[in-house]
Amino acid sequence: MEKVDVIIPAFHPGQEFEKLLEVLCRQSYEVDTILVMNTEKKFWNPSWETKFPKVKVKHLSKLEFDHGGTRRQAAQISEADIMIFMTQDAVPADRNLIRNLVRPLQENPQIGAAYARQLAREDCAYLEKYTRSFNYPAQSSVKWEKDTGRYGIKTYFCSNVCAAYRKSIYEQVGGFVPKAIFNEDMIYAGTIVKRGYGIAYAADACVIHSHNYSCRQQFHRNFDLGVSQAEHPEIFEGVPSEGEGLRLVKKSFSYLVKTGHLWLIPKLVGQSGFKYMGYFLGKRYQKLPEKVILFCTMNREYWKQTKE
């Protein structure tokens, strides 16, 4: 039985985080260590380390945190065969998450990563529920470099909300980038796909995770997404995201019409516009003044680190 670690970057974790730890400790495929990379020690509850003996924690300052660098640091600490990265707000849907997520990596040594299906929370907005089903369908799949003509940017899709990585392949290709504003998972996924490895989508490995982002939050997220793609043309230059984004808008529009939710169409148009504006500016961030960048980003610490 291969050794599996779960790695979770955390910031101000609360009751939901405790629920995540509880379910992880009751998985049918036993986890060896739950390594928490916690930002700001003052927000950490030390009783969790007693209540959940598998938990080990490393504390960071807010300025030290980086989407790529922090996960890279955690991977260096882990001694597992397979590393599962999660976010603090994702909760396993059942006791078989780990078993189902690592299965594709164990069945095919050419698969370097596998990511889980994300199910909407009960409070998830109607339109966002459809987006979840669009990005995380009920059918599993495996994507290879030859699939870029069919899937485009989706060939490199992988989400660290819940994703498993084969440690030997991770080390072979150099791991997560040391510095990333966002999107470190797709940067890594694109790297291994270009090296001949596959990315598995494990639809039977499910976590409960969704957000009801405002238009402003969508703008900031997509600005950082655009920045990440602009900083890594070696991955994203030949597979632009605009086509996939437009496909989602068209599918969402048709879904709202079909289900009679016509009053949500203005919201769809507004959200889509803010997403595109953010992405458009992010892709061209090098032409923008610093004040504009700091207004657009959701990760100001990244730019402080960049200046130092």
Side-chain angles (χ1 to χ4, degrees), residues 39-185:
T39 301
E40 301 299 344
K41 188 174 182 179
K42 62 184 178 181
F43 297 133
W44 178 252
N45 182 349
S47 69
W48 287 332
E49 295 168 75
T50 304
K51 187 174 182 180
F52 306 106
K54 291 181 182 294
V55 170
K56 293 181 181 178
V57 60
K58 180 172 177 58
H59 296 290
L60 312 163
S61 69
K62 197 170 182 181
L63 196 58
E64 286 176 308
F65 176 81
D66 180 90
H67 282 277
T70 298
R71 289 175 171 87
R72 185 183 179 92
Q73 187 179 0
Q76 291 172 340
I77 296 171
S78 173
E79 297 179 353
D81 303 297
I82 296 174
M83 304 177 297
I84 294 179
F85 285 83
M86 296 185 69
T87 54
Q88 70 186 62
D89 58 347
V91 178
D94 55 41
R95 294 183 64 246
N96 294 316
L97 169 69
I98 304 298
R99 182 179 301 280
N100 293 339
L101 187 59
V102 302
R103 184 183 294 120
L105 279 69
Q106 294 174 329
E107 290 180 344
N108 187 342
Q110 287 302 111
I111 292 178
Y115 65 98
R117 185 182 185 189
Q118 296 182 30
L119 304 176
R121 301 176 186 275
E122 290 184 5
D123 66 348
C124 186
Y126 188 81
L127 193 54
E128 177 59 21
K129 283 183 180 178
Y130 179 75
T131 301
R132 291 286 111 183
S133 65
F134 178 87
N135 288 326
Y136 303 96
Q139 300 78 32
S140 297
S141 60
V142 179
K143 294 165 290 185
W144 308 88
E145 179 66 10
K146 63 181 176 61
D147 295 319
T148 52
R150 178 183 177 188
Y151 294 116
I153 191 73
K154 273 289 187 76
T155 308
Y156 305 147
F157 188 75
C158 184
S159 175
N160 271 344
V161 165
C162 186
Y165 300 93
R166 168 69 63 185
K167 183 71 177 288
S168 59
I169 296 175
Y170 175 91
E171 292 179 334
Q172 177 190 327
V173 303
F176 293 119
V177 289
K179 190 169 175 56
I181 188 171
F182 190 52
N183 212 29
E184 78 293 331
D185 38 22

Side-chain angles (χ1 to χ4, degrees), residues 30 93 123 144 163 235 253 269 284:
E30 188 174 355
D123 66 348
W144 308 88
I235 303 295
F253 181 86
V269 173
R284 295 156 180 81

Side-chain angles (χ1 to χ4, degrees), residues 89 121 124-125 128 132 161 209-213 218 221:
D89 58 347
R121 301 176 186 275
C124 186
E128 177 59 21
R132 291 286 111 183
V161 165
H209 177 265
S210 61
H211 292 285
N212 293 319
Y213 287 126
Q218 296 281 18
R221 279 180 63 84

Side-chain angles (χ1 to χ4, degrees), residues 127-290:
L127 193 54
E128 177 59 21
K129 283 183 180 178
Y130 179 75
T131 301
R132 291 286 111 183
S133 65
F134 178 87
N135 288 326
Y136 303 96
Q139 300 78 32
S140 297
S141 60
V142 179
K143 294 165 290 185
W144 308 88
E145 179 66 10
K146 63 181 176 61
D147 295 319
T148 52
R150 178 183 177 188
Y151 294 116
I153 191 73
K154 273 289 187 76
T155 308
Y156 305 147
F157 188 75
C158 184
S159 175
N160 271 344
V161 165
C162 186
Y165 300 93
R166 168 69 63 185
K167 183 71 177 288
S168 59
I169 296 175
Y170 175 91
E171 292 179 334
Q172 177 190 327
V173 303
F176 293 119
V177 289
K179 190 169 175 56
I181 188 171
F182 190 52
N183 212 29
E184 78 293 331
D185 38 22
M186 283 187 68
I187 295 167
Y188 176 81
T191 300
I192 66 171
V193 168
K194 288 178 179 293
R195 298 282 188 95
Y197 294 106
I199 304 290
Y201 166 57
D204 56 350
C206 301
V207 292
I208 300 169
H209 177 265
S210 61
H211 292 285
N212 293 319
Y213 287 126
S214 66
C215 287
R216 183 173 181 174
Q217 289 171 315
Q218 296 281 18
F219 174 86
H220 292 315
R221 279 180 63 84
N222 281 273
F223 177 82
D224 288 357
L225 174 66
V227 170
S228 74
Q229 292 191 11
E231 290 184 331
H232 292 277
E234 75 282 3
I235 303 295
F236 300 107
E237 199 167 56
V239 282
S241 295
E242 291 87 342
E244 186 63 18
L246 184 60
R247 192 167 79 90
L248 173 58
V249 174
K250 289 179 177 178
K251 289 276 190 179
S252 299
F253 181 86
S254 298
Y255 179 73
L256 293 179
V257 171
K258 182 180 178 181
T259 58
H261 289 74
L262 302 182
W263 65 90
L264 290 177
I265 291 175
K267 183 177 182 180
L268 170 64
V269 173
Q271 284 188 345
S272 301
F274 274 87
K275 285 180 182 180
Y276 182 71
M277 280 193 296
Y279 177 76
F280 180 88
L281 291 173
K283 289 277 282 188
R284 295 156 180 81
Y285 80 95
Q286 292 170 320
K287 299 178 181 178
L288 301 177
E290 182 181 349

